[in-house]
Amino acid sequence: RSDVADLGEKWYPDLDGAADGTLDCRYGDDYPDYMIMDELLLENHIFDTEEDCCDYWPCNEVAEEYWYPEVDIVRETIECRFGNDYPLYYLENMEDNLFDSEEDCDEEWGVHHPDGGGNGGGGSGVGGIVTPAPPITDGKPDGSRDTADPDEREEFWYPDIWANVDDCVYGNGYDDFM
């Protein structure tokens, strides 16, 4: 976007660099591109003052412990873990990423326990046996694609949200909701 450079240095939540589950706001112009992709993201991520940023985001507070999915791309597995060392961007979509119980995390992310149970729903660490992650495809995790014909659409840079990695690609193979 051409107006990105016009923003200059601003305060933004450091969702990737938080240590020990503690969030801070940073000042600079090196905020992630997704934070300025649309008006809603811009309003919730880019601030003129540290105070405004910390009023919106829980600065200097240790994140609460939850059950959360952890994807291992190399082993192609998903595990439900308990703790506060989850990626802090999970706070932006808590209902899909942070859970009060191991069972809820397992159900949402398709983690199966061959022995019929997890670790009892308490404690810390890995929540049971892992299950293979969805295969990496050019479409959705189930291998399907949205119905619009990509050959008829304009090309843009877009996030490859189904690849299980932080990556942007250029083309017209993006999903309809984008």
Side-chain angles (χ1 to χ4, degrees):
R1 291 177 27 171
S2 61
D3 58 337
V4 171
D6 297 340
L7 290 177
E9 293 186 327
K10 297 285 184 179
W11 288 94
Y12 63 96
D14 185 12
L15 299 176
D16 296 322
D20 301 323
T22 304
L23 176 78
D24 285 314
C25 284
R26 293 181 55 186
Y27 184 74
D29 60 3
D30 56 343
Y31 31 81
D33 289 340
Y34 78 87
M35 291 184 179
I36 54 177
M37 288 177 71
D38 67 39
E39 214 41 54
L40 179 62
L41 289 170
L42 188 66
E43 286 178 23
N44 298 332
H45 293 86
I46 305 297
F47 303 91
D48 291 326
T49 67
E50 182 179 23
E51 181 179 342
D52 289 343
C53 185
C54 290
D55 282 346
Y56 191 88
W57 294 92
C59 290
N60 302 314
E61 294 179 20
V62 176
E64 290 185 52
E65 292 186 329
Y66 290 101
W67 285 95
Y68 65 94
E70 182 171 273
V71 177
D72 184 329
I73 296 171
V74 174
R75 291 181 20 225
E76 294 185 354
T77 59
I78 298 174
E79 301 177 34
C80 283
R81 295 184 175 268
F82 185 79
N84 67 353
D85 55 341
Y86 46 82
L88 291 179
Y89 61 82
Y90 280 7
L91 293 169
E92 295 183 84
N93 191 8
M94 291 178 65
E95 62 274 0
D96 292 332
N97 295 305
L98 301 175
F99 305 91
D100 292 325
S101 72
E102 176 186 10
E103 292 79 19
D104 290 344
C105 181
D106 289 349
E107 183 178 332
E108 178 72 22
W109 287 90
V111 176
H112 302 285
H113 300 274
D115 60 0
N119 71 4
S124 62
V126 176
I129 309 300
V130 298
T131 182
I136 296 173
T137 67
D138 288 335
K140 296 178 181 176
D142 65 2
S144 67
R145 296 194 60 82
D146 283 328
T147 57
D149 183 2
D151 295 330
E152 298 175 6
R153 296 191 286 189
E154 192 172 347
E155 292 186 338
F156 295 101
W157 283 100
Y158 63 94
D160 189 354
I161 61 172
W162 305 114
N164 294 331
V165 295
D166 292 334
D167 195 19
C168 286
V169 295
Y170 185 79
N172 56 10
Y174 47 86
D175 291 298
D176 289 341
F177 67 87
M178 292 182 187

